[in-house]
């Protein structure tokens, strides 16, 4: 058949159209995708103000609303445009709880514009699939079901609980501690019902290390010489003793003996079992421990391999293959890969082994390779993860590893010693997973009971007990799974969050070492209410959410009950915050003692201190006021100039020589002086009519890329002059080496942009003749045309982003668009692969 493809109106999702048959009738199909969640949960506008709302209100009073997850993608409008006039909808979202939730988000958008069903006609279908292969896709299309409302509700409940609980605690403790301490070095002191217990595990291990006291112990080591050249080291049956004198006594007794006597020889065949089928948690553990990939990174790669059709769905708790799973078919696809072709062909000819019986969680089959791939195709980390998944799959249908263990027991005087040797009889699955193989050991001498061997040496070794090491990511994932913290999908997110918040750092070997801030927070929670950090309460909540998904618990009751518990805990936490504060005082410096003097306060005219640690801010210790500043850049004093409104000295924020910079008044930045200004606006957005640094005096024309931005002259940028958008990251370089650039009060007749007066240096003037001065429009004046160049600011952080979408200019600067637009990177279209299977 024929398929036509086009981009949707949001420029991010493709639409594939073709004609086929559906439910026995000829039908016109439209296939498209979404980019993750369509909607997100948030408080209504006024409750998003940290300053005006008491965090306690967020538990019940504050109403929530569903907003578009990414307004720039206009996903709802796009779905409605494509869905208008359709008779049926088939939902092909990921088959997990999040996917089920997105199903209902899509339905909320498109059902109002679809054709109304006739009578009891069915119009909503749900496809269940675990991999993007033609067999799985066709099978799903032939067995369409319905979306599961209960699973979607369990996700809604989790979202609301995390939003209300997380925001209330986060807002309270962030405002409380950032108002008191200057060197916390974290822009947000966040709390999360899953994130905090995750941090708790790391700090618990840290505390064990700190409180560990090493003890000295002694071990008796004997060596015998079965033959002249060889020696055999024996292990003492008592293992170790903690008393030096007792150890010395045992040494003296054994030293009297000249020979070691063989007391017994036993041989036993042992088995090392092949692995269970692979689920998400095991994949993340191995990725971190063996491949050196963080869980978040590993999950992103696994999702990419899945959407490209290389592996099955990577989010599953199941370790048991379904009865109808085509193990041989899956294995045949790997028969030509040079890395494991020999093993695979041997298994296919000799017959595969029945996989071990694992746990069936009733979600998706285990993670398996779905088609052959090469290192060149996938490259780097993609190939390394794919290789592990494939080797693991082959191992699950291989034989167990068998080895012969020989144990020889010796007596030296009254003391017993042992030595053990292993010889592999059948390597089994360790051929394909060599890192699991039995280590090669020196072969033991052939001997029988009663044989005597000369003693080479007997000595006493002094050793010390050692503390445990910091938790690895793999160990943390195991603990989270064991205690029911998070789901297979959210575990990587929680671990990533505690790293991002500066609560832990990732050390060598991917070990997680808590920072001062992380340690003090957890100790503070233990002091006030241990249940905030222990895994028990979250584990109980997860069980309740699972009951909602199974239809065994009421959504509203679970929500109400859980929020009520946390509301009481919150009030107790607020009343007892002094307990955590005592710990903070020991580890962190008060605001007045941190930072260095920078600019003068407009109220007391004393110097305010600039605190560089995140979040950077200014603090006046005399007035006891703190002023937040723009982040991720440098701050310096701006020529000792003062704001005409409040007499505060201005400071200059800059993101670097290739970025943008603008002056700001610390007071106006935090307390907007005019109605049309918002908190967090600098002088380049200030509407003061006469101030020389304001938008009114330095604004030139409307931004060439975004809707609302204005290009403002950066008067500090000479001699490499530039103007920058006050909303997005567009920068226009112009008039390099000019002596002076000023914004004229006059405007251009063609495009309404402000005219610019430029004074050039005599030696480098681009003007005709010996002229050095010219006044004209940056956009329309032919003299200026070759002197203007558009760029995008180099940012230290993705704080400013360029606008997107085509639009006609209006107002200032509409007549000309400097060349060199960058197109924003489009999200990857996930379902394009699916459409191909139906055509």
């Amino acid at each position: 058949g024929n398929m036509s493809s086009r981009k949707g109106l949001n420029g991010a999702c493709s639409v594939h159209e073709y004609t086929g048959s559906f439910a026995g009738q000829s039908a016109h199909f439209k296939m498209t995708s979404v980019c993750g969640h369509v909607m997100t949960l948030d408080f209504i506008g006024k409750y998003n103000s940290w300053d005006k709302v008491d965090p306690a209100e967020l538990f019940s009073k504050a109403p929530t609303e569903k907003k578009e997850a990414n307004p720039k993608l206009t996903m709802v409008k796009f779905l409605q445009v494509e869905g208008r006039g359709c008779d049926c909808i088939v939902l092909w979202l990921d088959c997990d709880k999040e996917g089920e939730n997105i199903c209902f988000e899509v339905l909320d958008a498109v059902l109002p514009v679809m054709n109304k069903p006739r009578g009891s006609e069915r119009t909503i279908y749900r496809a269940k699939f675990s991999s993007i292969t033609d067999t799985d896709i066709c099978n799903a299309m032939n067995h369409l079901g319905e979306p599961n409302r209960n699973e979607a509700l369990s996700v809604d409940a989790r979202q609301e609980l995390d939003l209300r609980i997380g925001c209330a605690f986060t807002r309270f403790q962030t405002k409380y501690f950032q108002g008191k301490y200057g060197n916390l070095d974290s822009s947000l002191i966040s709390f999360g019902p899953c994130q905090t217990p995750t941090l708790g595990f790391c700090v618990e291990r840290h505390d064990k290390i700190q409180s560990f006291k090493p003890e000295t112990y002694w071990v008796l080591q004997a060596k015998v010489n079965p033959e002249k050249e060889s020696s055999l080291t024996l292990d003492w049956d008592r293992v170790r003793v903690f008393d030096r004198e007792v150890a010395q006594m045992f040494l003296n007794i054994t030293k009297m003996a000249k020979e070691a006597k063989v007391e017994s020889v036993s041989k036993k065949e042992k088995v090392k079992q092949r692995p269970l089928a692979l689920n998400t948690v095991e994949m993340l553990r191995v990725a971190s421990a063996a491949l050196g990939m963080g869980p978040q990174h590993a999950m992103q790669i696994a999702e990419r391999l899945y959407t490209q059709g290389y592996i099955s769905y990577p989010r599953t708790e199941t370790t048991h293959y379904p009865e109808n799973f085509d193990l041989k078919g899956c294995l045949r696809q790997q028969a030509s890969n040079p890395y494991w072709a020999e093993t695979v062909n041997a298994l296919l000819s000799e017959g595969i082994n029945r996989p071990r019986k694992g746990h069936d969680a009733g979600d998706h089959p285990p993670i398996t390779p779905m088609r052959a791939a090469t290192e060149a195709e996938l490259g780097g980390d993609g190939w390394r993860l794919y290789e592990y998944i494939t080797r693991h799959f082959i191992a699950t249908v291989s034989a167990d590893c068998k080895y012969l263990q020989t144990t020889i027991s010796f007596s030296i005087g009254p003391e017993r010693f042992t030595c053990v040797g292993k010889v592999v009889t059948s390597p089994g699955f360790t051929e394909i997973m060599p890192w699991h193989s039995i280590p090669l050991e020196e072969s033991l001498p052939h001997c029988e009971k009663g044989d005597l061997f000369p003693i080479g040496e007997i000595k006493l070794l002094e050793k010390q007990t050692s503390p445990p090491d910091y938790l690895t990511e793999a160990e943390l994932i195991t603990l989270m799974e064991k205690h029911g913290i998070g789901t297979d999908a959210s575990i990587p997110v929680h671990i990533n969050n505690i790293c991002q918040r500066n609560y832990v750092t990732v050390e060598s070997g991917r070990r997680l070492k808590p920072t001062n801030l992380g340690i003090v927070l957890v100790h503070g929670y233990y002091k006030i209410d241990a249940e905030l950090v222990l895994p028990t309460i979250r584990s109980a909540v997860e069980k309740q959410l699972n009951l909602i998904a199974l239809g065994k618990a009421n959504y509203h009751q679970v929500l109400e009950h859980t929020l009520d518990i946390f509301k009481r805990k919150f009030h107790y936490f607020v009343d007892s915050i002094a307990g955590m504060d005592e710990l903070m005082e020991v580890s962190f410096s008060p605001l007045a003692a941190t930072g260095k003097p920078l600019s003068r306060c407009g109220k007391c005219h004393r110097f305010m201190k600039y605190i560089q640690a995140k979040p950077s801010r200014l603090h006046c210790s005399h007035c006891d006021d703190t002023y937040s500043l723009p982040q991720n850049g440098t701050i310096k004093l701006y020529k000792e100039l003062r704001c005409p409104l409040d007499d505060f000295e201005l400071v200059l924020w800059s993101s670097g020589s290739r970025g943008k910079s603008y002056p700001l008044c610390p007071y106006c930045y935090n307390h907007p002086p005019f109605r049309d200004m918002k908190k967090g606006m600098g002088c380049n957005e200030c509407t003061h009519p006469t101030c020389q640094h304001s938008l009114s005096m330095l604004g030139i024309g409307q931004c060439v890329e975004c809707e609302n931005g204005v290009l403002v002259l950066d008067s500090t940028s000479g001699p490499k002059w530039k103007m920058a958008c006050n909303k997005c990251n567009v920068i226009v370089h112009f008039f390099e080496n000019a002596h002076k650039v000023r914004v004229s009060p006059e405007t251009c007749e063609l495009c309404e942009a402000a005219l610019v007066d430029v004074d050039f240096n005599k030696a480098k003037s681009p003007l005709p003749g010996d002229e050095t001065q010219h006044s004209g429009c940056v956009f329309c004046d032919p003299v200026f045309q070759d002197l203007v160049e558009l760029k995008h600011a180099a940012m230290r952080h993705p704080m400013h982003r360029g606008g997107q979408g085509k639009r006609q200019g209006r107002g200032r600067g509409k007549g000309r668009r400097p060349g060199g637009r960058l197109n924003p990177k489009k999200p990857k279209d996930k379902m394009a692969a699916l459409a191909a299977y139906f055509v």
Side-chain angles (χ1 to χ4, degrees), residues 228-242:
K228 275 185 181 174
E229 295 302 312
S230 65
S231 78
L232 201 61
T233 304
L234 310 182
D235 296 319
W236 190 22
D237 282 12
R238 290 184 196 273
V239 184
R240 60 186 179 180
V241 291
F242 286 89

Side-chain angles (χ1 to χ4, degrees), residues 471-727:
L471 281 180
T472 62
E473 279 173 338
E475 290 164 340
L476 180 58
I477 291 166
T478 306
L479 283 169
M480 291 174 76
E481 185 193 31
K482 179 183 167 188
H483 291 283
I485 300 297
T487 61
D488 52 1
S490 67
I491 283 173
V493 178
H494 302 313
I495 295 176
N496 190 52
N497 280 345
I498 62 172
C499 298
Q500 295 286 318
R501 299 277 184 268
N502 194 30
Y503 294 162
V504 298
T505 55
V506 182
E507 305 290 307
S508 64
R510 300 210 68 84
R511 292 189 180 276
L512 302 169
K513 185 179 179 182
T515 60
N516 241 353
L517 180 59
I519 295 162
V520 171
L521 278 176
V522 169
H523 289 175
Y525 293 133
Y526 270 121
K527 200 172 175 184
I528 296 170
D529 180 357
E531 282 192 334
L532 291 175
V533 75
L534 289 171
T536 44
I537 196 159
R538 182 59 193 195
S539 187
V541 172
E542 288 289 351
K543 283 176 186 155
Q544 294 290 314
L545 294 174
N546 282 332
L547 290 175
I548 295 174
L550 296 167
K552 293 179 181 175
N554 180 286
Y555 163 77
H556 295 288
Q557 285 175 347
V558 169
L559 211 55
E560 207 173 305
H561 175 67
T562 311
L563 286 172
D564 185 52
I565 290 171
F566 273 97
K567 187 178 181 180
R568 289 161 192 250
K569 287 186 173 298
F570 177 76
H571 284 297
Y572 183 70
F573 180 71
V574 171
D575 294 341
S576 318
I577 192 68
M580 190 186 271
D581 200 18
E582 285 167 12
L583 301 176
M584 285 278 188
E585 277 177 354
V586 177
S587 298
F588 300 103
S589 314
L591 276 176
T594 32
K596 53 177 193 274
L598 179 75
S599 66
R600 288 184 186 272
C601 168
K603 296 177 185 177
C604 67
H605 298 289
R606 288 178 169 87
F607 275 106
M608 297 190 290
K609 284 189 171 178
Y610 171 46
I611 296 153
Q612 262 183 299
K614 278 187 182 175
S616 57
R617 53 211 190 275
L618 285 167
H619 177 70
C620 176
S621 50
H622 184 261
C623 305
D624 197 20
D625 283 331
T626 306
Y627 301 98
S628 56
L629 295 168
Q631 302 298 305
N632 308 303
T634 56
I635 292 278
K636 58 185 182 189
L637 191 61
Y638 185 53
K639 305 177 185 172
E640 294 186 10
L641 296 167
R642 293 175 183 266
C643 173
L645 294 171
D646 48 49
D647 216 25
F648 273 71
E649 278 189 333
L650 302 183
V651 293
L652 184 75
W653 177 85
S654 169
S655 67
S657 58
R658 292 189 301 123
K660 56 196 248 184
S661 55
Y662 56 84
L664 62 114
C665 161
Y667 190 83
C668 297
Y669 188 82
N670 290 271
H671 307 96
F674 302 113
R675 272 189 183 169
D676 53 356
M677 286 177 69
K678 289 181 187 160
K679 189 174 175 178
M681 287 185 166
C683 297
N684 62 348
E685 292 183 79
C686 175
T687 49
H688 192 295
T690 58
C691 172
Q692 62 186 46
H693 317 292
S694 71
L695 172 66
S696 317
M697 302 301 275
L698 296 177
I700 293 176
Q702 189 188 331
C703 177
V704 293
E705 283 213 358
C706 70
E707 286 288 339
N708 306 315
V710 175
L711 292 166
V712 181
L713 174 68
D714 181 350
S715 49
T716 65
S717 59
K720 295 189 173 182
W721 297 94
K722 60 189 175 191
M723 56 180 176
C725 174
N726 59 9
K727 291 278 192 263

Side-chain angles (χ1 to χ4, degrees), residues 251-268:
L251 178 67
N252 296 340
I253 293 170
T254 49
K255 276 206 163 174
M256 289 176 184
K258 295 284 177 281
E259 290 178 313
K261 183 184 176 187
V262 177
E263 293 292 339
S264 66
V265 180
S266 69
K267 295 194 177 195
K268 220 177 199 176

Side-chain angles (χ1 to χ4, degrees), residues 223-225 252-261 411-413 452-458:
K223 285 186 179 177
V224 296
N225 302 332
N252 296 340
I253 293 170
T254 49
K255 276 206 163 174
M256 289 176 184
K258 295 284 177 281
E259 290 178 313
K261 183 184 176 187
S411 62
I412 301 177
L452 297 171
F453 291 112
I455 295 169
E457 66 168 341
I458 294 183

Side-chain angles (χ1 to χ4, degrees), residues 293 296-306 311 381-383 385:
M293 291 182 206
Q296 181 100 338
H297 179 55
M299 206 64 222
Q300 285 166 351
I301 290 169
E303 282 170 359
R304 194 185 79 220
L305 291 173
Y306 160 67
I311 63 169
D381 288 345
W383 166 254
L385 190 62

Side-chain angles (χ1 to χ4, degrees), residues 345-374:
N345 289 317
L347 280 170
L348 289 170
S349 58
E350 292 162 22
I352 60 171
N353 284 280
R354 191 178 175 80
R356 284 169 61 194
K357 186 165 174 57
H359 164 67
D360 185 358
D363 50 357
H364 285 268
I367 305 167
T368 52
M370 297 315 296
R371 63 183 170 110
T374 62

